[in-house]
Structure formats: structure tokens, C-alpha cells
Amino acid sequence: DAQTMVAFARQLEHVIAETYEEPFPELAMPDGQIIDLDTSIPEGAESFVYYVYSGASMARFSSAYSGGTAPTTTIQGARVRGNVEAMENAYEYTFRDLRAAAFAGIPLDSMLAKYAKRGHEELLQRTGLWGREDLGLPGFLNHPNITVTDAPADGVGSSAAWTAKSVDLILRDHRVLIDTPGQLSYGMREVSHVRYAREEFRLLSTVRMGAGDGTLTIMDFLRKNYAGVEFGVLLELAASQSDGNLATNGVVAYSRNR
């Protein structure tokens, strides 16, 4: 009968000893791949403070009668305060779950703990990139001190998309993106990292700058001419993966240092 056939079929079934788990996308922010993470704040603190100092000075040529009237040097300090917010989640199981897991040889406790940790990392990824204004936590990509601008709409049909622009216009956009911070800071803040939405990074990596297989792609050219800059992908720069923070795909350029 049917029941006997099912039992017989299971006798013929080979169970592979190795188990498999569904993979998850890489989270760049918790891993410290986007910016350096400071772990020096002790547990229990509800806020943190650091101080930033700056000085101002000027000199002039002196004369024999200028004693006591020389321009003075001043020092200014700023006190910067930030919030610390706790994250939480939980996992639970019953005695029946434990018995079933033990029978099946499944490390239930460690697996649940691992996925609970993943929940924390996903929250850190979202908050680290986009912040939580209601909690006083600024995000990396929408921090109020970051300059945000739209790419010029001078491509085919007055489009800002790189798919509608010539190679020269795409390179012009990169000159503005990468060179401007150094110009504004008198060379003190040179761009070290550029991150793209996956679609834009793929375009730059496949579009060649001329005819023939021996010609550099746009990305090859950028890496050659900006040797000190690391170019890569940040998935959340795609509008569809930005939690509603971006209307169109974006690219960010920054100087990575403390």
C-alpha cells in the first residue's frame, strides 16, 4: 500500500551528513569596511564626549617701534557630544525544541545565538548608514555635514544618468567628485574611498574608452589616474536598497581617517 511504499522509499534515501545554511549578504558597516569603528566607549555609558581644538594665528613684519602690539595667537575648542543607544533582541526555545534538536543533532542554542547576532548587525548596518534622527544618531550617508549634490543633467536627453553620458562627461563628474574635497581643504582631506551603487560600478567596469579589446575601461582609467583611491560597491547606494533615503542611485566619496 501507499504507506509501505513511503517507508520503503525512505530506506533508499541517503542523508548527507553535512548541513547547509542559507547565506546572507555581506554587511560592510559592522565589519568596519566603510569607516573605522571606535569600540573604546565602555558598556553602561549613555553618552560620549570628545573635544576638537583649532588655532588661529597670523604674523607680520616687525619694526623697531612695534613692541607689545604684535598680533596674538588664539586657540578655540569645541565640545562634541554623542548618544549611546542599546540594541536588543531575544531568542527562545522549549524543552520539546531542545529534545528534537538533540535527536536531530542540531546545535540549537549556538544557531539561534548566531542569527540573533545577525539581527544586531543588520540594525547596525541600517543605522550606521542612514542614522536615526529621533534617537540623535547621525548616519554616514546622510550626515548633516556631508555635501550632497545632483550630477549635472547634460547627457543624452538632458539626463544625469551615466548610461546617457559620454565617457568624457562621466570623467568630468568624477573630477568634481574626487578633487573637490582636496581643493576645499587645501589638500588636507584627499578622497581615499569611492563607493557606488552596484549598477553604476558595473557600468564603469565594462564600458571601454575606445574601440578594441585592448582599451581601458572607465574603471581601469580611474584606478590608474587615482592610484591612492579605493573604488568599490556599497549596495545601499542603490535607490531600491536605500530604505527610501535615495530617489536615484548615488555615489559617495570620502576621506577615511579618524
Side-chain angles (χ1 to χ4, degrees):
D1 59 10
Q3 185 174 357
T4 303
M5 291 300 295
V6 170
F8 181 70
R10 287 179 178 171
Q11 291 177 4
L12 299 178
E13 183 178 65
H14 172 70
V15 178
I16 300 176
E18 183 179 0
T19 60
Y20 299 90
E21 294 184 49
E22 181 181 355
F24 290 97
E26 183 181 19
L27 299 176
M29 180 64 77
D31 290 342
Q33 297 180 33
I34 304 300
I35 57 176
D36 296 327
L37 303 181
D38 188 345
T39 59
S40 63
I41 300 174
E43 291 186 25
E46 295 185 354
S47 64
F48 63 90
V49 172
Y50 63 89
Y51 296 88
V52 179
Y53 293 97
S54 178
S57 178
M58 63 177 296
R60 71 181 185 189
F61 291 104
S62 62
S63 67
Y65 306 102
S66 62
T69 63
T72 58
T73 299
T74 61
I75 296 177
Q76 300 86 31
R79 182 175 183 268
V80 183
R81 181 183 181 276
N83 292 337
V84 176
E85 295 291 339
M87 300 184 298
E88 64 181 8
N89 67 6
Y91 59 91
E92 61 182 17
Y93 43 79
T94 65
F95 285 113
R96 182 177 181 180
D97 294 332
L98 282 175
R99 287 194 296 267
F103 181 79
I106 299 174
L108 182 63
D109 193 70
S110 62
M111 290 182 68
L112 286 171
K114 180 175 67 175
Y115 290 124
K117 180 176 181 290
R118 173 74 187 192
H120 278 254
E121 291 175 342
E122 289 179 349
L123 179 58
L124 178 57
Q125 176 85 357
R126 293 194 302 272
T127 308
L129 293 176
W130 303 113
R132 277 286 300 271
E133 186 177 355
D134 58 320
L135 297 177
L137 301 176
F140 171 61
L141 293 178
N142 57 355
H143 194 284
N145 290 342
I146 289 182
T147 301
V148 181
T149 185
D150 293 327
D154 48 11
V156 177
S158 297
S159 172
W162 285 343
T163 53
K165 289 183 176 180
S166 67
V167 170
D168 286 338
L169 288 177
I170 294 175
L171 294 178
R172 185 278 318 271
D173 289 350
H174 277 84
R175 284 195 297 273
V176 174
L177 181 73
I178 298 175
D179 294 341
T180 299
Q183 293 171 354
L184 295 178
S185 64
Y186 294 93
M188 292 183 59
R189 294 290 181 266
E190 298 290 351
V191 167
S192 63
H193 289 69
V194 180
R195 303 290 183 182
Y196 305 85
R198 180 177 293 276
E199 180 180 345
E200 278 65 33
F201 186 80
R202 177 61 59 189
L203 181 144
L204 298 174
S205 300
T206 55
V207 173
R208 297 187 180 276
M209 300 181 63
D213 292 338
T215 306
L216 295 177
T217 65
I218 300 176
M219 182 54 65
D220 291 334
F221 181 85
L222 290 171
R223 285 174 170 153
K224 181 179 179 180
N225 285 271
Y226 293 100
V229 178
E230 179 183 309
F231 299 89
V233 173
L234 180 57
L235 297 176
E236 285 80 0
L237 286 169
S240 60
Q241 301 187 53
S242 67
D243 289 336
N245 288 283
L246 295 176
T248 58
N249 291 0
V251 54
V252 60
Y254 61 99
S255 174
R256 178 171 174 170
N257 63 57
R258 289 177 63 87

